[in-house]
Amino acid sequence: MGVLSRAEAQQRADAIRNFQRELSVLERDGVLVLGDEQHRSLSEHHARLLAEYGRLYDIDGDARAKQLSLGMRVASFFGALALAASVFFLFYQFWGRFPTAVQVALLIAASLASFCGTLWVQKLDASGYFAKLAAMVAFACFVLNIAMLGEIFNITPSDKAFVPWAAFALLLAYACDLRLLLAMGILCLIAFISSRAGTVSGMYWIHFGERPENFFPAALALFLVPQFVPHHRFPDFAPIYRVFALLAFFLPVLVLANWGELSYLDREPSLVKGFYQLVGFAASAGAVWLGVRRGWPHVVNTGVVFFVIFLYTKFYDWWWEIMPKYLFFLVLALVAVLILFVLRRLRGLAKPVAEAA
Amino acid sequence: MPWGRREVLWAGLALLVATNGIVLAGALYNRAGQPEAVLRLSQRELDLPWRWGFERENSGISLEMRWRIPRFATSDETGYEQGVSWLDKAKLHELGFDVSRSFATVSGKRYYAKQLPREVFMVLEFDAAAYRAAVQRAEAREKRAAERAAANPGVVELKRALDSANRDLESERQRVSRLFAVDAGRDPAVLREKYPDRSHYAIVPGLVRLAIYRRGMDDVPVGYVENLSVASVNVPARYRAAFASAYKETEEARPGVGNFEVTVAFGRRLEPWVVDVQRSGK
């Protein structure tokens, strides 16, 4: 199988190192002993692969490198956000002094140059950290570009702007294998689909957040993306789609479970709250079940987190005022222990499924 | 099949160029040909930005349109809690709000409370009947206050009421906005037929919200103009000098009345732009 992306190269390199460790244990225990020729051939093959991956994809060589690379990811994430903010404020500081034609030319040139610059940086930087910085700046430049054209020409605000922003962020994400840009693209898609869902009722699009149900179609669409679009080259992307889909579903449900009057449902707010509390419990439990069944740990974790949040908010409603605080927190602790038992049992059930798969 | 670097480059460039092209073509279309309306507004109708927080670093100038709504003929209140006089049940229905349910029942009130703002076309009237009515109302109030004060000399409250009425009248004549939202509809062409004077009436997209107001013993549907879709107008760099000394740091530092006149045109897409700025010298 040819390696296509950095994530796949990293996975393969990790598998090779695990294999080498296990092989040395097996040889020490005398379970499996390779001949000298086989040993040499295998070692050379692995060394060649690791060297090639290191050269092409700048993968992490060992556990220490992995820890450092986590730090680099965090640094590049904050650096990317800060650099994007810097670009915005730089333009903000001076744009009013330029004639309209210069403003427009600067905005378009910044978008084009930062995009081309991102592809150039990506070509030079196999690790992807600097490409992430450049891509975030390119995305910020394009958002600024369209937003400021709207400001300069007094254009009526439109949710359609989210479409090219989403397309651009997704293009950068897939071209440079960047999860941060994928998240930006997904957020733009959520905003667009939700605002379109809201306008069906006739409301002005910018108010889409006032009816949390508007987010449900976006949640469903995002959850289905990895099902219909294969992501073999981008193994980290499918979890991001699913986690954002779950957030786009559970956060509105959580809001509706506490403020029923925000719902489209034309019923007593207390009834609506009760309904969404049930939906919250059932759906988060369903997410845990689905995650265990399909081997999606991110779905399991998100489901557990929201199940606990739904449970604790109900406990707060019921008992915070009437219970002594030591008893209230004791109940929470006991529930946490109960959840641990349930999850342990689910883990036990998951093993046969995984083995069967 | 995954894209190579070249395909990504061309796709990205195409996206950037196409998006900018569409936005700029829309702006050009808006400004092509004769403007839909042209209003000569002053500082009474256009508010300078406040310079605090992040705005301190904003080198651009956007003038916010200050618009008002006509009061109910019977109202002497300063607030607009009664809603807009012309946004009655029939008009709200015409604008797309479902007002068929009873306002008296709990479920009816709940239904109306859930209604969110709709974008409609608003008629902005500048320095015409609604403004004259506002001045006449202030004059009548001042006259009534003067008569009462004259009939009861030495009554401190009446003297204060007269002073307040005088200030209101002076403000109405000299300071406050002459721009009124006087009508709304779903078809700008129909509104233009009804208000053909393009130098006093502009049609712009804006937001209307439905609410319930208790008038006497009855709950009645009332409409509010929430905002204009384009609430401010950007000032091109060539006109910056006219506003350089007029930035507002505090309420007290507001520049005097009539410091500038700004000619604002509204185009085919009903979007405004500044076509001229004159310092009035006052």
Side-chain angles (χ1 to χ4, degrees), chain A residues 92-96 98 122 145 149 151 154 156 201 203-204 207 210-211 233 261 263 266-268, chain B residues 2 5 12 16 20 55 57-59 62 101 110 114 116-118 207 226 229 234 237 240 271-272:
Chain A
Y92 207 51
Q93 182 102 43
F94 299 108
W95 75 283
F98 303 128
Q122 192 223 359
N145 175 187
L149 285 184
E151 176 105 5
N154 310 304
T156 308
S201 67
M203 73 176 206
Y204 186 53
H207 291 269
E210 292 183 38
R211 291 284 168 272
R233 276 193 66 208
E261 61 275 15
S263 170
D266 187 16
R267 291 286 178 273
E268 279 292 320
Chain B
R5 204 180 301 276
L16 295 177
N20 277 287
E55 273 300 310
E57 295 192 18
N58 184 2
S59 57
S62 271
R101 297 200 190 186
R110 191 173 59 233
K114 283 178 185 287
L116 288 172
R118 285 171 179 267
L207 305 186
E226 187 156 287
S229 297
N234 175 54
R240 275 179 65 84
E271 290 161 354

Side-chain angles (χ1 to χ4, degrees), chain A residues 120-137:
Chain A
W120 179 68
V121 169
Q122 192 223 359
K123 194 175 169 185
L124 299 180
D125 168 39
S127 70
Y129 300 117
F130 295 99
K132 184 195 284 184
L133 285 172
M136 194 62 204
V137 170

